C-alpha cells in the first residue's frame, strides 16, 4: 500500500510547486503518459498544459519525495471551510521559526501561533488556503 495525500485546488500546478518546495519533493514528469494518451486519441490538447519543457495534464499535478505522494486536482469551487485533515511538519522547536519563515517566503501565510497543548505550533495556510502546521 502507498499513501497519497490529495488536495483540491484552483491551480494544481502552482500548488504542486509550492508543496514540492515546502517538502523538498520533485514535481512528477507526466510527459510520456500525456504524449501516449494524446497519440492514442484518449485525451485532447485542451486537456494538457506546457509546464516548462514538460507536457502535463491540465487539471492534475503531482509531486513525490520520501514521504507520501502529493496529488492535486483542479476543482471549480473555492475552499470554504476549515480543513478536517491537515499536514503537520514537525521540524523541532529550534528549527521551527526558520522553517515558518522559509514557507512564508514560498507563499504560505501565518494564521496563528499557539503553545496551549505543549510545543509551540504555528498554523499556516498554503497559497490555496489549506491549513497546515509547523512545530
Amino acid at each position: 500500500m502507498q499513501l497519497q495525500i490529495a488536495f483540491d485546488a484552483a491551480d494544481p500546478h502552482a500548488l504542486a510547486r509550492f508543496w514540492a518546495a515546502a517538502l523538498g519533493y520533485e514535481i512528477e514528469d507526466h510527459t510520456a503518459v500525456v504524449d501516449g494518451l494524446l497519440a492514442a486519441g484518449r485525451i485532447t490538447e485542451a486537456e494538457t498544459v506546457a509546464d516548462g519543457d514538460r507536457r502535463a495534464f491540465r487539471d492534475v499535478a503531482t509531486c513525490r519525495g520520501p514521504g507520501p505522494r502529493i496529488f492535486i486536482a483542479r476543482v471549480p469551487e473555492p475552499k470554504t471551510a476549515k480543513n478536517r485533515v491537515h499536514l503537520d511538519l514537525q521540524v523541532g522547536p529550534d528549527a521551527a521559526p526558520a522553517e515558518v519563515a522559509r514557507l512564508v517566503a514560498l507563499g504560505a501565510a501565518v494564521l496563528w501561533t499557539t503553545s496551549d497543548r505543549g510545543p509551540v505550533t504555528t498554523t499556516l495556510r498554503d497559497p490555496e488556503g489549506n491549513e497546515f502546521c509547523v512545530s
Side-chain angles (χ1 to χ4, degrees):
M1 178 187 312
Q2 296 272 331
L3 176 62
Q4 173 173 278
I5 299 170
F7 287 86
D8 291 346
D11 184 344
H13 298 280
L15 195 58
R17 285 189 292 276
F18 171 82
W19 281 110
L23 300 173
Y25 279 25
E26 297 289 326
I27 300 291
E28 288 185 349
D29 184 354
H30 297 144
T31 302
V33 174
V34 169
D35 286 347
L37 291 171
L38 280 166
R42 299 197 50 208
I43 62 173
T44 66
E45 286 287 340
E47 295 172 281
T48 72
V49 294
D51 189 17
D53 59 351
R54 299 176 176 182
R55 189 186 299 264
F57 294 102
R58 184 191 68 198
D59 294 333
V60 172
T62 58
C63 56
R64 181 178 298 276
R69 180 180 192 235
I70 304 295
F71 178 93
I72 304 166
R74 182 182 315 276
V75 297
E77 67 278 354
K79 182 177 177 300
T80 59
K82 182 180 181 302
N83 296 10
R84 300 268 321 234
V85 174
H86 67 269
L87 302 183
D88 281 340
L89 309 181
Q90 298 176 340
V91 298
D94 294 336
E99 184 65 4
V100 168
R102 184 183 77 84
L103 293 164
V104 167
L106 291 173
V110 173
L111 295 175
W112 62 81
T113 299
T114 184
S115 61
D116 64 343
R117 294 186 179 139
V120 173
T121 300
T122 302
T123 300
L124 301 99
R125 70 171 172 247
D126 72 16
E128 292 258 356
N130 301 297
E131 296 91 2
F132 66 99
C133 295
V134 173
S135 60

